[in-house]
Amino acid sequence: MTSRRTRLRLLAVPLAVGALLSGAAPALAGGTGAGPGQGGPATADVVTTTRLGGQVAALTFDDGPNPHDTPRLLEVLAENDVKAVFCLWGDVVRQNPDLVRQIVAAGHTLCNHTMHHEDLATWTPEAVRADLEATSALIREVAPGAPIPYFRAPYGSWGQSAQVAADLGMQPLGWTVTIEDWETQDADVLTERLESRIRANPGAVVLLHDGPVMDRSGTVEAVARAIPELRAEGWRFHKPDRRG
């Protein structure tokens, strides 16, 4: 990956973006209509919660798949019977088609994360649409028929992409909680952040990473430790809301 992308990742502000645009949009080919969350067609509102009450959270993983860490992550999720959302980077999908198929076969949900992981802040709607359509086409080339109900903008920099994604039937997906796993891969630190921040934010969409920009073994270990602890306290894991 280029040094520019790495710098942008390190400089990204780890905050939920909130709603940028309003109004319902028709669900078209990109997201196959009403999705697997709490119901309704895609809108241009950036969803950041599960819209469920009580001790519930949604785990989402960006920038993958990664042949070094995603297989172990899939094992951890399977061992704990947790389904997650994987936000796939097109360039990486092209390099790891078998891993995409493994994600789909395990019953996880896919999210379009653009082809080249670029900042979309100043892109025209036409350019955004071309990129998102190409990314979805690539994902479906390696995993035919797989629904792609969500879209997440790289770095949380939406520009006009939220409306474009909704027009394509994909719900823009933000987050409430992040553990800054681009700053450290110390499993002890990440586990504490993951557990404490989920506890403090019931219903949260949690941003994590399994992409190949850096080692992600600490993130995977944090997930492996945190899920049983939270489950013992009564926490459940669910998909994000389908609409804003």
Side-chain angles (χ1 to χ4, degrees), residues 118-143:
E118 296 177 290
D119 189 328
L120 303 180
T122 63
W123 285 34
T124 66
E126 294 76 17
V128 172
R129 186 182 184 100
D131 186 282
L132 269 56
E133 288 181 330
T135 305
S136 289
L138 175 60
I139 293 170
R140 292 205 177 93
E141 180 182 329
V142 302

Side-chain angles (χ1 to χ4, degrees), residues 57-201:
L59 301 182
T60 69
F61 297 90
D62 277 18
D63 300 352
N66 167 11
H68 301 291
D69 299 303
T70 303
R72 173 57 184 153
L73 175 59
L74 291 173
E75 290 177 0
V76 167
L77 295 173
E79 289 165 1
N80 290 278
D81 193 25
V82 169
K83 303 303 183 189
V85 177
F86 284 80
C87 299
L88 303 180
W89 177 345
D91 288 332
V92 182
V93 167
R94 197 185 305 278
Q95 297 166 15
N96 301 283
D98 288 341
L99 276 179
V100 176
R101 289 188 280 270
Q102 290 177 38
I103 291 168
V104 172
H108 300 292
T109 300
L110 302 186
C111 171
N112 182 318
H113 200 39
T114 74
M115 185 64 71
H116 307 300
H117 204 276
E118 296 177 290
D119 189 328
L120 303 180
T122 63
W123 285 34
T124 66
E126 294 76 17
V128 172
R129 186 182 184 100
D131 186 282
L132 269 56
E133 288 181 330
T135 305
S136 289
L138 175 60
I139 293 170
R140 292 205 177 93
E141 180 182 329
V142 302
I148 311 168
Y150 297 103
F151 164 73
R152 177 174 279 162
Y155 319 113
S157 182
W158 294 92
Q160 300 187 66
S161 66
Q163 183 65 63
V164 174
D167 290 343
L168 292 171
M170 293 182 289
Q171 186 66 49
L173 180 60
W175 61 89
T176 316
V177 166
T178 182
I179 61 172
E180 292 93 32
D181 58 352
W182 57 87
E183 295 178 350
T184 180
Q185 280 294 299
D186 184 311
D188 292 335
V189 171
L190 294 179
T191 301
E192 191 281 329
R193 289 178 181 174
L194 185 58
E195 292 181 6
S196 63
R197 294 177 188 182
I198 286 178
R199 290 185 184 113
N201 294 276

Side-chain angles (χ1 to χ4, degrees), residues 48-66:
T48 61
T49 73
T50 63
R51 195 177 279 186
L52 295 174
Q55 294 176 302
V56 60
L59 301 182
T60 69
F61 297 90
D62 277 18
D63 300 352
N66 167 11

